[in-house]
Amino acid sequence: MRIRIVDAFTDRPFAGNPAGVLLLDTFPDDGRLQNIALEVNHAETAFAHPLPGGGEADWALRWFTPAVEVAMCGHATLATAHVLHSTGAHRGPVRFATRSGVLVATPGEDGEITLDFPTAPLTPVDVPEGVAEALGAVPLTAFDTGPNIGDLLLEVADERTVHALRPDLEALAAHSERGVIATARAENPALGYDFVSRCFFPNVGIDEDPVTGSAHTALAPYWSERLGRFALTGLQASPRSGRVRTEVRGERTLLAGRAVTVIEGDLLV
């Protein structure tokens, strides 16, 4: 099996979020998929195989962290679409059949890829007891992000607070299904982004995710309502960092970014 490592939501190597990508003829058993994802040891490894023509989707797609299979992943979908287009395995928009329904990735002439994902439903909740101590900052608001994501979305005071977070990950794990998204408004939108975020997912084996496409299906509607604009750019302020362009279209959210293949080789077992 051919395996590639792709940095997603970036236009340069060694930034953004790395994902493993394997294009297969069919899916092997789940245990083998999980073992491969553990060996790759990135936040996500994507496995895809072509589907018969004439259906609602072109490729089947699944995502695994080193610990579990997940219901939705943005950066590994972007990475898979990048591999399909850069290798000529697929031309034009590609429809992926996933656990979150059919997701479409459309390449642009400039190399950017736009993902069409379901908008996360946001439900306001009380700030859970103990979450401020676990996060290391006092949240201003708290929202549940629905079943596809399973995160707790927390707005904090300002951008500097987001950058300075050093959470207690073991304590944080008790407060959501997947993890916690911490966010704040950008201090200087002239720098090219409207909001910042960081994502901590200890429940799925990821202490901090570098750039999380799925989280932006919640961040985009949250900040679009507050800033009064449908089209925004988010900066995920992890050490690797990356930017996600977003556009809310009702029940769907568009996520746009670039990707770079950095490693290509053969899986020998």
Side-chain angles (χ1 to χ4, degrees), residues 106-170:
T106 303
E109 293 183 359
D110 60 354
E112 189 174 69
I113 295 172
T114 300
L115 308 178
D116 183 335
F117 272 41
T119 301
L122 298 179
T123 304
V125 296
D126 293 333
V127 175
E129 183 178 352
V131 77
E133 292 79 8
L135 183 64
V138 177
L140 305 178
T141 60
F143 286 79
D144 179 84
T145 58
N148 283 339
I149 302 178
D151 294 333
L152 182 66
L153 174 63
L154 303 172
E155 183 184 354
V156 297
D158 51 37
E159 181 174 343
R160 284 174 289 181
T161 300
V162 174
H163 285 280
L165 291 174
R166 299 293 184 269
D168 179 338
L169 294 168
E170 184 176 353

Side-chain angles (χ1 to χ4, degrees), residues 24 38-39 66 75 92 105 141 145 169 175 180 182 200 230 263:
L24 310 171
L38 178 60
E39 189 74 12
H75 85 279
T141 60
T145 58
L169 294 168
H175 295 291
V180 168
F200 307 100
F230 292 116
I263 296 174

Side-chain angles (χ1 to χ4, degrees), residues 33-113:
L33 295 176
Q34 188 63 73
N35 281 335
I36 293 170
L38 178 60
E39 189 74 12
V40 172
N41 203 33
H42 284 313
E44 310 283 349
T45 298
F47 302 90
H49 71 73
L51 295 171
E56 66 174 3
D58 308 301
W59 288 73
L61 178 62
R62 298 172 70 181
W63 314 278
F64 286 76
T65 77
V68 297
E69 183 175 9
V70 297
M72 180 186 290
C73 180
H75 85 279
T77 305
L78 179 66
T80 304
H82 168 77
V83 169
L84 290 173
H85 296 132
S86 63
T87 61
H90 189 91
R91 302 291 184 185
V94 55
R95 301 168 299 168
F96 293 111
T98 79
R99 289 174 56 180
S100 296
V102 175
L103 308 177
V104 181
T106 303
E109 293 183 359
D110 60 354
E112 189 174 69
I113 295 172

